[in-house]
């Protein structure tokens, strides 16, 4: 049983690595679009595309369960948090360099550790807390000047990180009740498409075919990434998944240098090394032979929004 449990968790770690590559590409497109168009123009179109892709993917499943959810209230909370998080990240990318935004992305594991207890009832081991603290220190290495001179972009980034973490925690919460991963992609993006569509007439600007192609590419990357993340959250504890997501730093260093001319300092590379090391340590700790087997599904925490 133990080898199967290890393989199950290793597969989850691999899915998270794929997710970081997909979302880094989507973030690069967001930064480019944010310099030319308002948030509703990106998210109304991309959200609608993801909704359509979800419906098409659901029609090709062998088990026709549809996109129904057994956790409507929890799904509504996840959807609302997702809408605010994506808009906040949009403004953060518009106002800040990549490195500054990912200072706050690096805080996501800390937020996840704080939320996992009351919402998911998952006990975070002391060794894992040590890895989380190390990850935070690694992110701080990216900014030796500290957090002086906070601007609007930093507030947007902080809000995005908090609500983005809550959305992921809710994904794992819902995953304990149902296994319909597509539903967790469909409903948040439906909420994005509707809310951004309402604002779209007020901010619309003419677009070229190249811009539309970028938004379509963004939607495909987002669809694939969010689907992969939901599946990964069903295989690993939230506090393990979120530090692994800091692998995204490596992708962002490459994208920032190639497409935006942002060349990190030595402190950036040191921070990336510490962050990635803390994520690998969490995987080692999760697969430690001294860790008793833990069932995949468990009782939810104190949040009682759905059965």
């Amino acid at each position: 049983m133990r080898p199967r449990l290890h393989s199950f968790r290793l597969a989850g770690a691999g899915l998270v690595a794929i997710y970081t590559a997909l979302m880094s590409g989507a973030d690069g497109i967001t930064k480019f679009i944010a310099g030319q168009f308002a948030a509703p123009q990106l998210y109304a179109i991309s959200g609608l595309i993801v909704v359509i892709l979800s419906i098409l993917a659901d029609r090709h499943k062998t088990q026709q369960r549809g996109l129904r959810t057994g956790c409507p209230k929890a799904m509504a909370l996840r959807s609302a948090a997702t809408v605010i998080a994506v808009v906040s990240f949009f403004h953060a990318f518009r106002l800040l360099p990549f490195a500054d935004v990912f200072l706050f992305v690096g805080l996501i594991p800390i937020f996840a550790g704080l939320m996992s207890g009351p919402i998911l009832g998952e006990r975070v081991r002391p060794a894992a807390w040590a890895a989380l603290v190390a990850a935070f220190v690694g992110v701080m290495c990216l900014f030796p000047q500290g957090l002086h001179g906070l601007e609007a972009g930093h507030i947007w980034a902080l809000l995005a990180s908090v609500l983005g973490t809550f959305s992921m925690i809710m994904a794992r919460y819902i995953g304990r009740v149902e296994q319909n991963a597509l539903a967790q992609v469909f409903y948040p993006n439906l909420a994005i498409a509707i809310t951004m569509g309402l604002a779209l007439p007020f901010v619309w600007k003419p677009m070229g075919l190249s811009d539309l192609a970028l938004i379509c590419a963004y939607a495909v990357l987002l669809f694939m990434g969010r689907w992969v993340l939901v599946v990964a959250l069903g295989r690993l504890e939230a506090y393990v998944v979120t530090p692994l997501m800091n692998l995204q730093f490596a992708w962002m260093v490459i994208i920032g240098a190639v497409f935006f001319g942002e060349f990190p300092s030595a402190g950036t590379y040191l921070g990336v090394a510490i962050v990635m090391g803390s994520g690998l340590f969490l995987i080692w700790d999760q697969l430690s032979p001294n860790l008793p087997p833990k069932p995949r599904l468990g009782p939810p925490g104190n949040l009682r929004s759905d059965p």
Side-chain angles (χ1 to χ4, degrees):
M1 193 68 179
R2 170 65 65 173
R4 290 188 59 188
L5 183 61
H6 286 188
S7 299
F8 192 75
R9 288 169 172 167
L10 282 172
L15 289 172
V16 177
I18 294 173
Y19 166 82
T20 62
L22 294 171
M23 295 309 294
S24 294
D27 288 340
I29 294 175
T30 298
K31 185 173 178 65
F32 182 80
I33 292 293
Q36 307 176 62
F37 302 99
Q41 195 150 345
L42 169 63
Y43 294 124
I45 298 173
S46 63
L48 180 60
I49 293 173
V50 173
V51 166
I52 294 173
L53 289 174
S54 300
I55 294 173
L56 293 176
D58 177 73
R59 292 183 61 182
H60 286 83
K61 289 195 303 183
T62 55
Q63 296 180 348
Q64 297 297 322
R65 295 184 53 201
L67 293 168
R68 295 184 300 272
T69 176
C71 303
K73 295 179 182 178
M75 190 70 76
L77 288 173
R78 168 168 159 76
S79 299
T82 301
V83 170
I84 301 174
V86 296
V87 173
S88 300
F89 270 124
F90 180 92
H91 289 296
F93 280 120
R94 180 172 61 89
L95 298 170
L96 299 173
F98 268 142
D100 284 25
V101 175
F102 279 94
L103 164 64
F104 294 92
V105 172
L107 297 177
I108 287 180
I110 307 299
F111 295 142
L114 296 174
M115 294 182 191
S116 293
I119 296 177
L120 301 178
E122 294 178 348
R123 175 178 175 268
V124 183
R125 303 176 70 199
W129 277 115
L132 293 175
V133 172
F136 178 77
V137 172
V139 173
M140 292 301 294
C141 289
L142 301 175
F143 302 94
Q145 73 276 13
L147 293 177
H148 302 295
L150 286 176
E151 302 173 355
H154 299 109
I155 304 302
W156 281 115
L158 179 61
L159 180 63
S161 297
V162 172
L163 291 176
T165 304
F166 180 73
S167 176
M168 289 185 289
I169 294 294
M170 291 309 299
R172 181 163 174 81
Y173 178 92
I174 295 169
R176 291 181 168 186
V177 179
E178 62 177 43
Q179 303 303 310
N180 192 359
L182 268 177
Q184 295 215 54
V185 178
F186 174 77
Y187 287 105
N189 283 281
L190 179 62
I192 290 172
I194 292 174
T195 54
M196 295 297 102
L198 293 174
L200 186 58
F202 302 99
V203 297
W204 174 264
K205 289 174 58 177
M207 303 180 66
L209 289 178
S210 59
D211 296 321
L212 185 59
L214 278 176
I215 292 180
C216 291
Y218 169 85
V220 172
L221 291 173
L222 194 68
F223 170 75
M224 296 173 62
R226 288 185 174 168
W227 194 358
V228 165
L229 178 62
V230 169
V231 176
L233 285 167
R235 294 171 178 261
L236 288 174
E237 283 78 357
Y239 70 84
V240 178
V241 170
T242 47
L244 285 175
M245 289 169 59
N246 283 321
L247 290 170
Q248 198 167 345
F249 278 112
W251 298 111
M252 296 315 298
V253 167
I254 297 172
I255 292 174
V258 174
F259 295 101
F260 299 101
E262 297 177 357
F263 296 96
S265 64
T268 299
Y269 290 108
L270 175 61
V272 169
I274 296 174
V275 166
M276 293 180 65
S278 66
L280 293 174
F281 174 75
L282 274 182
I283 287 296
W284 175 84
D285 182 63
Q286 185 69 12
L287 299 178
S288 171
N290 296 323
L291 179 64
K294 184 176 183 178
R296 182 183 179 186
L297 300 178
N302 296 326
L303 180 60
R304 302 298 184 192
S305 59
D306 289 293

